[in-house]
Amino acid sequence: MIYLDNAATTLPKPLSVERAVCRAMQSMASPGRGAHPPAMRAAETLFQCRCAAAELFHVSEPERVVFTMNATHALNIAIRSKVRRGTRVLISGFEHNSVTRPLAELGAEIRVAGRRLFDRENTLREFGREIPGAELVVCTHVSNVFGYILPIDEIAEMCRKNKVPLIIDASQSAGVLDLDFQRLGAAFAAMPGHKALLGPQGTGILLCGEEGLPLMQGGSGSDSIPQHMPEYLPDRLEAGTHNTTGIAGLLAGIEFVREKGTENIRKHERALLERMVRELENDKVRLFTAGEALQSGVLSLTVNGKSCEDVADCLSKRGVCVRSGLHCAPTAHRSAGTLETGTIRFSFSPFVTEAQVINACGILREIIFKES
């Protein structure tokens, strides 16, 4: 199997992640629900994971690292903390449904800025024009469809200057790109644990520059008498039993990323993307690609005369795992002009090799030319 769907979920995981999950399953109970050794081991693991994430993302206090089920859960907490019906919200032209659907459900007044793919100048110009009239900005750091790296530092600076809060969707950047939460000054940043942080599914993180409003109410393991959630983080936003085994695995994933280095991971994935582009450049394939400063390790393409789903199905039958369609991001496809066709997406990880990329490209060329 050649697995090239890492923008959805990384696979395989580091062996240390698997081992951490197994150890937790055998030795840890629920944190904050007792003073016995299994509960204390769980509490210590959660604290270590908060500290590791806080160090990686430059968060002032580990308590401001809130555990969630995934990035969608984290984004819902952030968005529902800031948005009411009629709130004027500015988004980029490359947002995921995890952003646009909560905004639509809440009745936000949505404006879109920066619909030109791989065009930083246009993105900055449109955000600069629209931010002064916005009450909130929600922006992805990297497009999950095209790997477009949006100018998040400059957007954050404009938000600070205009005193407009910013929510960052770091689903495709956390673990690959530099993300300095203190420097950005965002209200919140949301990320999954199961993508470039290499943790298990069912894990996510919300970095909190503000206190936030609870999405759920319930047990927190602290302040049991009051019938409202605690006022302090992280308890305020973490109702119910934690995914302790998943967080143990996430800690191991973050430690792997920190040891490897995000810059080294990015360079590896970018080299694989560039190799794939060289292998596939021909008049039957449309490649959505740009320079290194504009694109992470995510490559979308279309094949002339073939549906994306059919090509992906043929690749799957030959052992190559990719994703096709709209990737839960119709806003991005509207911006790029691919809403009617979708794209075939290839995405990389530290465990993908150049030989696998060359092999996958050979199989794709056979599908394109021999099955035409």
Side-chain angles (χ1 to χ4, degrees):
M1 180 183 73
I2 302 173
Y3 186 82
L4 299 174
D5 192 20
N6 293 281
T9 294
T10 48
L11 189 72
K13 308 292 184 183
L15 285 177
S16 58
V17 171
E18 179 182 344
R19 291 167 182 156
V21 170
C22 290
R23 283 197 302 271
M25 198 170 292
Q26 296 298 325
S27 65
M28 295 181 197
S30 294
R33 272 69 173 179
H36 49 75
M40 296 306 292
R41 277 193 293 270
E44 177 61 22
T45 296
L46 265 64
F47 182 69
Q48 287 178 5
C49 192
R50 292 189 211 276
C51 290
E55 185 172 338
L56 179 61
F57 300 117
H58 306 280
V59 180
S60 60
E61 302 167 326
E63 290 78 16
R64 294 191 172 274
V65 175
V66 168
F67 294 122
T68 63
M69 296 183 290
N70 44 51
T72 299
H73 181 195
L75 283 165
N76 269 265
I77 294 173
I79 289 169
R80 290 172 186 273
S81 294
K82 304 298 293 183
V83 175
R84 300 294 178 269
R85 182 166 297 279
T87 301
R88 298 187 304 277
V89 182
L90 180 64
I91 66 172
S92 82
F94 296 91
E95 299 305 315
H96 190 276
N97 279 342
S98 295
V99 167
T100 58
R101 283 179 171 171
L103 291 175
E105 177 69 21
L106 290 167
E109 180 186 320
I110 303 171
R111 300 275 297 179
V112 181
R115 283 192 176 276
R116 294 184 184 176
L117 181 60
F118 302 130
D119 191 336
R120 281 176 58 94
E121 288 72 23
N122 172 261
T123 298
L124 288 172
R125 187 165 55 250
E126 293 197 4
F127 268 92
R129 184 179 65 243
E130 297 286 348
I131 283 176
E135 295 177 279
L136 174 69
V137 173
V138 187
C139 187
T140 188
H141 192 176
V142 175
S143 166
N144 72 304
V145 181
F146 301 104
Y148 174 28
I149 303 172
L150 278 77
I152 199 68
D153 281 278
E154 293 88 340
I155 291 169
E157 184 179 2
M158 287 188 280
C159 287
R160 293 195 302 271
K161 180 180 177 181
N162 289 276
K163 294 182 171 54
V164 177
L166 170 65
I167 296 172
I168 299 171
D169 179 359
S171 294
Q172 299 295 333
S173 62
V176 177
L177 301 182
D178 175 57
L179 181 66
D180 189 325
F181 189 65
Q182 279 190 294
R183 184 184 71 234
L184 291 165
F188 300 98
M191 61 194 68
H194 65 98
K195 297 188 182 185
L197 292 179
L198 303 171
Q201 293 95 321
T203 59
I205 287 174
L206 180 66
L207 307 180
C208 297
E210 300 183 4
E211 299 305 302
L213 297 177
L215 185 64
M216 300 185 295
Q217 289 75 33
S220 60
S222 58
D223 290 346
S224 293
I225 293 176
Q227 291 304 288
H228 53 77
M229 292 298 289
E231 293 297 322
Y232 49 86
L233 292 173
D235 302 47
R236 178 172 174 76
L237 303 179
E238 292 183 354
T241 300
H242 292 85
N243 178 6
T244 301
T245 54
I247 294 168
L250 177 57
L251 171 58
I254 292 173
E255 288 174 340
F256 181 93
V257 169
R258 291 172 64 193
E259 181 178 348
K260 194 84 171 175
T262 53
E263 183 61 24
N264 292 328
I265 292 171
R266 181 188 175 185
K267 286 179 178 178
H268 172 75
E269 294 184 6
R270 179 67 197 186
L272 296 176
L273 182 147
E274 291 175 355
R275 183 57 189 261
M276 178 165 276
V277 168
R278 292 196 300 272
E279 292 282 329
L280 293 177
E281 283 181 317
N282 64 75
D283 58 6
K284 288 186 174 292
V285 177
R286 181 186 180 191
L287 297 163
F288 294 86
T289 186
E292 183 175 358
L294 292 173
Q295 188 177 25
S296 66
V298 175
L299 177 65
S300 265
L301 59 85
T302 57
V303 177
N304 296 345
K306 291 184 179 291
S307 80
C308 293
E309 288 77 9
D310 287 346
V311 173
D313 185 56
C314 290
L315 285 168
S316 179
K317 290 175 180 175
R318 300 283 297 275
V320 180
C321 303
V322 299
R323 186 170 177 185
S324 64
L326 298 182
H327 315 94
C328 300
T331 300
H333 285 280
R334 288 190 186 95
S335 295
T338 53
L339 187 63
E340 297 301 317
T341 63
T343 62
I344 306 159
R345 186 185 69 187
F346 296 79
S347 49
F348 311 103
S349 83
F351 298 102
V352 177
T353 66
E354 185 179 20
Q356 288 178 318
V357 167
I358 294 170
N359 193 6
C361 289
I363 293 170
L364 180 57
R365 284 196 301 271
E366 289 180 11
I367 293 168
I368 293 170
F369 293 105
K370 293 186 179 180
E371 300 179 17
S372 297

